[in-house]
Amino acid sequence: MFKTFVDDIPTFIQLLKFTDSIVSGSTALNLIMPQSQHFATHDVDIYVTEKYEHVVVEYLKHQEEYTVADKINPKAEYDDSAIARIYKLENGGKKIDIIVTHRECAIAPVLQFHSTVVMNYITADDIVCMYPKWTCDRKGFINPRLYMEDKTNLRTVEALMKYTKRGFRLCAEPFQLGAHNCNRSIDCPHATRTTVDERMFNWNINNGIAIGTAMMDCWEVPIIVWSLGGHGCTTESNKRSRSKILVAT
């Protein structure tokens, strides 16, 4: 997977580990659902905290011979509060986007993605799917913040259409994805979740320790606590809640 974008894969993986950075987007989804690999990955998205942004950028510039083609203000293009800035790197036909978050954990922006279909990520040691049941069933819940916080734009609509064309059923109402135990089930968007709970699919590709039914490596990444929120889970419910993302440091 990484060999398309970097020459020195072992050192790149160590860079991810040292900087607590992750790879996310369609690259992670292709690993979780191999049958989707016929959809070509044209670039790779690396998420990093402000603490390590220059370490990652300088490594890719000097060791992998990338150049910074652009540096984007997220308010102009991405309109995403968890993102501080984006570096667009190029090396011939190879492209890497470095997404910098002002939060203390690089995972935070993943929870602001357009839907649960792409809420997956790769660390130096793990492949993680945050909503495995829906994803493996080719279903996805549209992130309520898009309509509750007026975050929908043309880029978002195009992304949702792309995954619909790839065979995913995307819904804005949770009851359309099946019945569940509200506030407790993985299928309830109002439930409080954490990045170490047993409802995560976490494949540790190195030695790790077990936490519930998940695997968690011992590297010191802050734990994320979140709730997607949204409308009530039944047609009769008037319950609404806003999304929450907290970093436990």
Side-chain angles (χ1 to χ4, degrees), residues 22-190:
I22 63 170
V23 173
S24 192
S26 57
T27 303
L29 181 62
N30 281 343
L31 284 182
I32 291 165
M33 302 187 68
Q35 65 269 33
S36 299
Q37 285 187 350
H38 60 280
F39 299 111
T41 301
H42 300 292
D43 55 21
V44 65
D45 297 336
I46 302 173
Y47 289 77
V48 61
T49 59
E50 288 182 314
K51 179 179 179 180
Y52 292 113
E53 67 173 289
H54 296 298
V55 174
V56 175
V57 171
E58 293 304 310
Y59 171 83
L60 291 169
K61 285 171 57 179
H62 297 293
Q63 301 302 318
E64 294 289 342
E65 300 182 348
Y66 277 83
T67 58
V68 178
D70 201 0
K71 186 177 178 181
I72 298 172
N73 180 339
K75 291 184 179 180
E77 183 174 343
Y78 288 79
D79 190 27
D80 196 327
S81 62
I83 295 175
R85 58 199 145 269
I86 302 100
Y87 296 85
K88 289 188 169 292
L89 276 58
E90 296 181 356
N91 178 356
K94 299 184 292 186
K95 297 180 180 181
I96 293 179
D97 287 353
I98 300 175
I99 298 92
V100 183
T101 179
H102 55 78
R103 301 290 186 93
E104 295 184 35
C105 181
I107 301 168
V110 175
L111 290 161
Q112 295 186 334
F113 286 174
H114 57 73
S115 71
T116 58
V117 170
V118 284
M119 291 183 184
N120 317 293
Y121 57 91
I122 305 164
T123 72
D125 301 292
D126 305 286
I127 301 169
V128 180
C129 179
M130 305 180 93
Y131 287 89
K133 185 176 184 298
W134 282 339
T135 304
C136 292
D137 287 343
R138 303 190 75 83
K139 298 177 181 177
F141 181 60
I142 297 173
N143 198 329
R145 73 185 299 270
L146 296 183
Y147 52 86
M148 293 185 69
E149 301 176 27
D150 194 24
K151 300 295 183 181
T152 305
N153 52 39
L154 179 60
R155 186 184 184 91
T156 303
V157 174
E158 290 176 344
L160 293 172
M161 290 177 61
K162 178 176 72 173
Y163 284 96
T164 298
K165 290 178 180 178
R166 293 182 178 184
F168 288 92
R169 181 189 176 199
L170 302 179
C171 301
E173 304 293 345
F175 59 82
Q176 294 179 354
L177 296 175
H180 61 268
N181 185 352
C182 286
N183 294 308
R184 297 181 63 85
S185 168
I186 187 175
D187 295 330
C188 182
H190 301 282

Side-chain angles (χ1 to χ4, degrees), residues 107 121 130 193-197 200 202 216 222-224 226:
I107 301 168
Y121 57 91
M130 305 180 93
R193 298 282 311 281
T194 78
T195 47
V196 293
D197 69 34
M200 303 272 284
N202 188 316
M216 181 71 180
I223 295 171
I224 297 284
W226 84 91

Side-chain angles (χ1 to χ4, degrees), residues 207-218:
N207 294 327
I209 60 173
I211 299 180
T213 59
M215 292 292 292
M216 181 71 180
D217 195 30
C218 293

